[in-house]
Amino acid sequence: TQLLEQSPQFLSIQEGENLTVYCNSSSVFSSLQWYRQEPGEGPVLLVTVVTGGEVKKLKRLTFQFGDARKDSSLHITAAQPGDTGLYLCAGPALKTSYDKVIFGPGTSLSVIP
Amino acid sequence: DTAVSQTPKYLVTQMGNDKSIKCEQNLGHDTMYWYKQDSKKFLKIMFSYNNKELIINETVPNRFSPKSPDKAHLNLHINSLELGDSAVYFCASSPLGDTQYFGPGTRLTVL
């Protein structure tokens, strides 16, 4: 069974600090996605990483896909209160005849002004 | 224009009642989904429809019955509601089965 694990589960930091959250699996994924979910809203896609070793930047957010395509990380530089939310990694399930996305349990980030 | 919309936003009901949640997407996507997010924020797929055809049915009690009248709509009917059904239910759509476009969610509370 493919599973995605995320760490830490909760993170509370001061504005201006840097942080990294992790997404890990024992299975290989063809791609991984990162979503952010703000309170009372649905998750919104931030990025998709496809190639092993790939690094993508989105303003202060840096995403990396592991060389073996089993893990990914999200690094936020100089966190701001607007970064507060639940960060979910997700990836397509393998060995299925239909399209299914598996989600990790999420990292809940709180940035304190 | 709202891409994926759900109604109602909040639903409070008694145990044993039957309720429905409606979802519409105007993105032209062929695939739509229902997810359940529990109190620990874990997001789990329930159903998926591709162009009105059921393609994913995870181990969900048969009290839950999805219906897709056309590829832009996917509704969820729940019979005999139980306390454990309390959660946030998200509708989503996808063009190719990868990127998920989520609705705002329906918070269901069963008393």
Side-chain angles (χ1 to χ4, degrees), chain A residues 7-40:
Chain A
S7 61
Q9 185 178 1
F10 299 98
L11 191 54
S12 182
I13 62 171
Q14 295 289 329
E15 182 176 0
E17 292 183 354
N18 301 332
L19 66 115
T20 302
V21 298
Y22 300 92
C23 174
N24 298 284
S25 176
S26 58
S27 304
V28 174
F29 280 83
S30 57
S31 63
L32 280 178
Q33 299 177 324
W34 285 92
Y35 291 79
R36 179 169 64 210
Q37 182 180 9
E38 298 185 8

Side-chain angles (χ1 to χ4, degrees), chain A residues 7-88:
Chain A
S7 61
Q9 185 178 1
F10 299 98
L11 191 54
S12 182
I13 62 171
Q14 295 289 329
E15 182 176 0
E17 292 183 354
N18 301 332
L19 66 115
T20 302
V21 298
Y22 300 92
C23 174
N24 298 284
S25 176
S26 58
S27 304
V28 174
F29 280 83
S30 57
S31 63
L32 280 178
Q33 299 177 324
W34 285 92
Y35 291 79
R36 179 169 64 210
Q37 182 180 9
E38 298 185 8
E41 302 291 332
V44 176
L45 179 71
L46 296 174
V47 78
T48 300
V49 286
V50 179
T51 306
E54 181 178 6
V55 176
K56 281 191 173 179
K57 292 193 174 185
L58 185 66
K59 296 183 181 178
R60 295 176 294 101
L61 278 59
T62 302
F63 304 85
Q64 186 163 6
F65 199 11
D67 291 339
R69 292 186 288 133
K70 291 183 178 182
D71 58 272
S72 181
S73 64
L74 159 59
H75 181 80
I76 301 179
T77 304
Q80 298 178 0
D83 296 326
T84 293
L86 179 70
Y87 288 82
L88 297 159

Side-chain angles (χ1 to χ4, degrees), chain B residues 63-74:
Chain B
R63 297 182 295 104
F64 291 79
S65 53
K67 285 189 179 173
S68 181
D70 55 63
K71 75 173 194 177
H73 296 84
L74 180 61

Side-chain angles (χ1 to χ4, degrees), chain B residues 1-108:
Chain B
D1 284 344
T2 303
V4 182
S5 59
Q6 293 179 231
T7 55
K9 176 77 171 171
Y10 300 96
L11 190 50
V12 181
T13 188
Q14 299 286 333
M15 264 197 319
N17 285 349
D18 304 337
K19 290 294 179 184
S20 292
I21 307 172
K22 295 186 176 182
C23 176
E24 176 181 2
Q25 56 99 0
N26 62 7
L27 298 168
H29 295 163
D30 284 339
T31 308
M32 295 185 72
Y33 307 82
W34 278 111
Y35 287 87
K36 179 180 181 180
Q37 188 172 48
D38 60 26
S39 58
K40 295 185 178 179
K41 303 297 185 183
F42 188 68
L43 198 61
K44 186 174 180 182
I45 191 169
M46 300 173 68
F47 301 103
S48 173
Y49 270 74
N50 182 275
N51 205 8
K52 302 193 296 176
E53 181 183 350
L54 179 65
I55 58 172
I56 295 176
N57 184 347
E58 294 293 293
T59 50
V60 178
N62 57 15
R63 297 182 295 104
F64 291 79
S65 53
K67 285 189 179 173
S68 181
D70 55 63
K71 75 173 194 177
H73 296 84
L74 180 61
N75 303 323
L76 183 64
H77 187 76
I78 315 171
N79 289 325
S80 303
L81 278 156
E82 300 177 357
L83 293 176
D85 297 331
S86 295
V88 181
Y89 292 83
F90 285 100
C91 176
S93 72
S94 178
L96 297 173
D98 48 4
T99 303
Q100 309 282 292
Y101 293 79
F102 286 89
T106 295
R107 181 174 292 277
L108 172 65

